[in-house]
Amino acid sequence: MAHNVRGRCRWHTNETVSTGCGYYAHHLSLSPYTIATATTGAAFFSEYTAGVVSGEPDVCGGSINWILNTINRSTGVIPYILDNTSSTAQWPWDTASYVTEGLVAAVVRNCSVAQHERWRMSMLPVLRRALAEQNAWGLWGVAGSADAMRAPRVGTLLSFYAALGTGSASMDSDVRQALASLAANVSSPATRTAYGIGDVALTSSFVALVLCDMQHFGSTF
């Protein structure tokens, strides 16, 4: 598998790797794509952790490392990088959701265990932003927007820190309160209508996954 993996991923250093989009806007785009790096590079290849032990390249760990290196530490924004362009405004919570998928998959499936503590610390700016920008609906993003449709998986980032801790008692408390707000609000008729829960398949699926992980962290991976 090593040859095929190396042919589809871009190795920047011995410890960082990104995955391209594939065909995009009528051309082959192999430059780093944040979402593909999180979902394919990290989440999918976390299934092949055993392969790393036998000498295969650590695509999962390298993908997480590449993503974490792009985070703006002062704002907690993960830039949406696609086809040599970078945006911090277009898909902020969509990006955070998919990165959460990759990060939690890597940790739950024991990918690059020695790096887990560094990963936990590196994502703290994203957590702080999620806590600060959780809205009155218990979710993230503008209701009805394409970004908000994919945003609910950020709730699993809260569950990640509820399980592993933030290193701060006050922030741990904030995380628990944010999870309680999410759980209380997604069942209310007003929130369900505003965000399309029960009507929009993508949003509904993410909410269901988040609620499962709130009950038993890691159960959806």
Side-chain angles (χ1 to χ4, degrees), residues 39-211:
T39 57
T40 303
F44 176 78
F45 278 101
S46 67
E47 296 277 8
Y48 292 91
T49 302
V52 176
V53 177
S54 64
E56 297 288 357
D58 186 6
V59 177
C60 174
S63 297
I64 296 295
N65 289 336
W66 182 85
I67 292 168
L68 296 183
N69 286 343
T70 71
I71 296 174
N72 185 315
R73 305 294 169 191
S74 62
T75 64
V77 173
I78 308 170
Y80 179 82
I81 298 171
L82 170 63
D83 199 40
N84 293 312
T85 64
S86 177
S87 171
T88 58
Q90 185 177 10
W91 301 100
W93 296 113
D94 166 293
T95 305
S97 275
Y98 286 121
V99 168
T100 294
E101 288 256 350
L103 172 70
V104 177
V107 171
V108 168
R109 293 175 181 150
N110 296 314
C111 172
S112 302
V113 174
Q115 300 191 69
H116 286 189
E117 177 61 15
R118 183 173 65 81
W119 293 349
R120 185 183 70 85
M121 295 299 294
S122 295
M123 280 291 284
L124 280 172
V126 182
L127 172 67
R128 293 189 186 97
R129 180 167 176 260
L131 292 172
E133 297 192 21
Q134 185 182 34
N135 58 36
W137 308 99
L139 294 167
W140 296 268
V142 179
S145 69
D147 185 49
M149 288 172 61
R150 297 160 174 82
R153 193 59 153 158
V154 173
T156 295
L157 183 65
L158 301 180
S159 292
F160 172 81
Y161 280 101
L164 275 67
T166 66
S168 163
S170 62
M171 190 178 294
D172 287 344
S173 176
D174 290 342
V175 167
R176 291 191 295 270
Q177 291 180 34
L179 282 169
S181 175
L182 188 156
N185 278 283
V186 295
S187 61
S188 76
T191 301
R192 293 173 67 85
T193 299
Y195 279 84
I197 300 171
D199 294 319
V200 179
L202 184 59
T203 306
S204 304
S205 298
F206 274 131
V207 168
L209 291 171
V210 168
L211 293 176

